[in-house]
Amino acid sequence: MKHIRIADTTLCQGNYTFKEKIEMARQLEKLGVDVIELPAITEVRSDTLLVRTMASFVKNAILSVAAGVTAESVELAAAALEGAAKPQIRIQLPVSPVGMEYTCHKKADKMLGWISEIVAAAKQKGVAVEFCAVDATRADDGYLQKAIDAATEAGADTVSVWDSTGGRLPDDFAAFVNEIKTDLPLGVACDNQNGLAAASAILAVQAGADCVKTAIGGAITDLVTFATMVKNCGDSYGFATGIRYTEMGRIVGQIAWITDPARNEKPAGVTATAAEGIQLDANDDREAVAAAVAKLGYDLSEEDSARVYEEFCRVAEKKTVAAKELEAIVANVAMQVPDAYQLVSYVINSGNIISASAQISLQRDGKTLQSVSIGDGPIDAAFKAIDQIIGHHYELDDFQIQAVTEGKEAVGQALVKLRDRGRLYSGTGISTDILGASLRAYLNAVNKIIYEEG
């Protein structure tokens, strides 16, 4: 039985938050994909932290980071992958005339030299190396083979070809794959703009491909569609995947929920019985909370579990914590950057005949810092007090408040977006007190800015 490797590219397909990326990687590892692909390192501190955090729990799947356009990209990818159980640098380059000129500013002969040089540089880092031709079906006759040969001679461990235009029908793409000559494992990626990506991929496997790049709801071969096709037809044709089919619906539903901004609803894949069965209060210990979190489909680290329990205790002092409240707690406190500032206390005064004022106490490096401010409403006063403590005013780009749960003791969630030097930073906070949620959201965004500044 031939094993088809699944290289999932979901984390390369959208603009997700740090927390979302971490949780998606956890779920993909549990699903049984062979490779988790990540984009190139662009924001060095945050992207490196992201990859290293994933490396702490991704042990079965290969972690693959894109590189190749510059020599620095290889250095950054290798540094981020330190500590990964199965690290891979993915040298992802165009091979069409237009792609080479536009992306790398190189002619065909110079590009072959660069492929050899950059693959060899990645190989010297002591990790697995994949050469990926991103627009392979648009390459000039014979050039793709030259590029693959150059990468192979330079030490590549695997190669892959990408039909990035979706311009070939499944049988034509299979014939294209069949013409490629290589002794290395061969992967394929198929654009799904015509709805034929899964068919192209399965025929490519019959033509000799060993790996298929997929995504959950992305622009290329849909993971669920392809995996289901293999499940239904694989025995007849002698191939299989390592996907855990019994968990696929729940895990894919969980990932879809993670990336869905409308999080008031129960995550897909969690049954009503499982969700409604969660009723926690202040008497429940950490083990009970951890079991409930696992029941909802999360697999948190010890550090994140501790944060969830700490936040749970704060909320549970005021009300019973059911499934929706627990989901909101996990979304808010797990997988965050380190807190430079922590909220200690706040006193807000407001009324129709007085100016709103706020007294805020924050803690940084063990020291308590306080400030009092007057503003145009309680939220404005509180944010100004925080600005005075940190010594900087950040542009407030967006501020939203919504109820996560129903009833008079509903948990509220606040979203704050701050802009600093042209970049946008978002923070979230939850509490039965909407002012507390707003302050935590503001600090969450501030802490991200401070972390980026180093």
Side-chain angles (χ1 to χ4, degrees), residues 141-174:
D141 290 343
Y143 188 78
L144 173 62
Q145 189 63 54
K146 291 179 181 179
I148 290 174
D149 291 343
T152 302
E153 292 171 7
D157 299 285
T158 61
V159 298
S160 58
V161 294
W162 198 309
D163 179 16
S164 54
T165 63
R168 300 211 177 195
L169 294 175
D171 53 348
D172 290 332
F173 184 68

Side-chain angles (χ1 to χ4, degrees), residues 123-363:
K123 191 65 178 178
Q124 289 175 358
K125 299 300 179 182
V127 301
V129 178
E130 175 189 358
F131 171 65
C132 178
V134 297
D135 53 359
T137 55
R138 295 191 296 171
D140 289 342
D141 290 343
Y143 188 78
L144 173 62
Q145 189 63 54
K146 291 179 181 179
I148 290 174
D149 291 343
T152 302
E153 292 171 7
D157 299 285
T158 61
V159 298
S160 58
V161 294
W162 198 309
D163 179 16
S164 54
T165 63
R168 300 211 177 195
L169 294 175
D171 53 348
D172 290 332
F173 184 68
F176 168 79
V177 170
N178 189 57
E179 293 175 357
I180 297 173
K181 297 178 177 61
T182 179
D183 294 327
L184 300 178
L186 176 63
V188 295
C190 306
D191 188 281
N192 197 39
Q193 63 176 312
N194 296 319
L196 298 173
S200 295
I202 203 75
L203 290 182
V205 169
Q206 284 190 293
D210 306 285
C211 175
V212 173
K213 295 183 185 291
T214 65
I216 296 174
I220 65 171
T221 306
D222 180 68
L223 187 151
V224 174
T225 302
F226 181 77
T228 302
M229 189 178 293
V230 173
K231 177 186 176 183
N232 294 336
C233 307
D235 288 343
S236 300
Y237 292 93
F239 44 70
T241 71
I243 296 297
R244 296 182 178 89
Y245 292 104
T246 57
E247 300 181 56
M248 184 168 67
R250 180 188 64 80
I251 290 175
V252 171
Q254 182 69 33
I255 292 175
W257 175 78
I258 289 170
T259 59
D260 184 358
R263 291 183 177 175
N264 290 351
E265 298 182 4
K266 184 169 43 188
V270 178
T271 65
T273 302
E276 292 167 3
I278 295 176
Q279 293 289 329
L280 303 170
D281 57 35
N283 295 318
D284 285 296
D285 58 17
R286 181 172 173 176
E287 287 70 24
V289 175
V293 170
K295 193 174 183 181
L296 290 173
Y298 291 99
D299 182 15
L300 301 182
S301 67
E302 286 295 321
E303 183 180 357
D304 286 332
S305 293
R307 290 176 177 172
V308 167
Y309 182 65
E310 181 181 352
E311 183 72 4
F312 160 79
C313 289
R314 189 178 63 79
V315 175
E317 288 179 356
K318 301 181 179 180
K319 69 188 305 293
T320 298
V321 176
K324 288 184 178 181
E325 286 89 348
L326 192 57
E327 291 278 10
I329 289 171
V330 172
N332 180 55
V333 303
M335 298 158 287
Q336 293 279 9
V337 301
D339 290 335
Y341 289 95
Q342 293 178 311
L343 180 64
V344 176
S345 65
Y346 58 93
V347 177
I348 310 292
N349 292 308
S350 182
N352 64 341
I353 59 173
I354 62 171
S355 298
S357 64
Q359 179 179 341
I360 306 295
S361 295
L362 305 180
Q363 189 175 78

Side-chain angles (χ1 to χ4, degrees), residues 54-73:
M54 290 181 182
S56 68
F57 60 81
V58 175
K59 302 301 181 183
N60 298 317
I62 294 170
L63 273 181
S64 176
V65 176
V69 175
T70 65
E72 182 187 19
S73 66

Side-chain angles (χ1 to χ4, degrees), residues 380-398:
D380 182 58
F383 288 177
K384 284 181 177 178
I386 292 176
D387 289 345
Q388 289 174 7
I389 292 174
I390 64 179
H392 195 290
H393 171 70
Y394 297 107
E395 178 187 349
L396 181 63
D397 188 88
D398 192 15

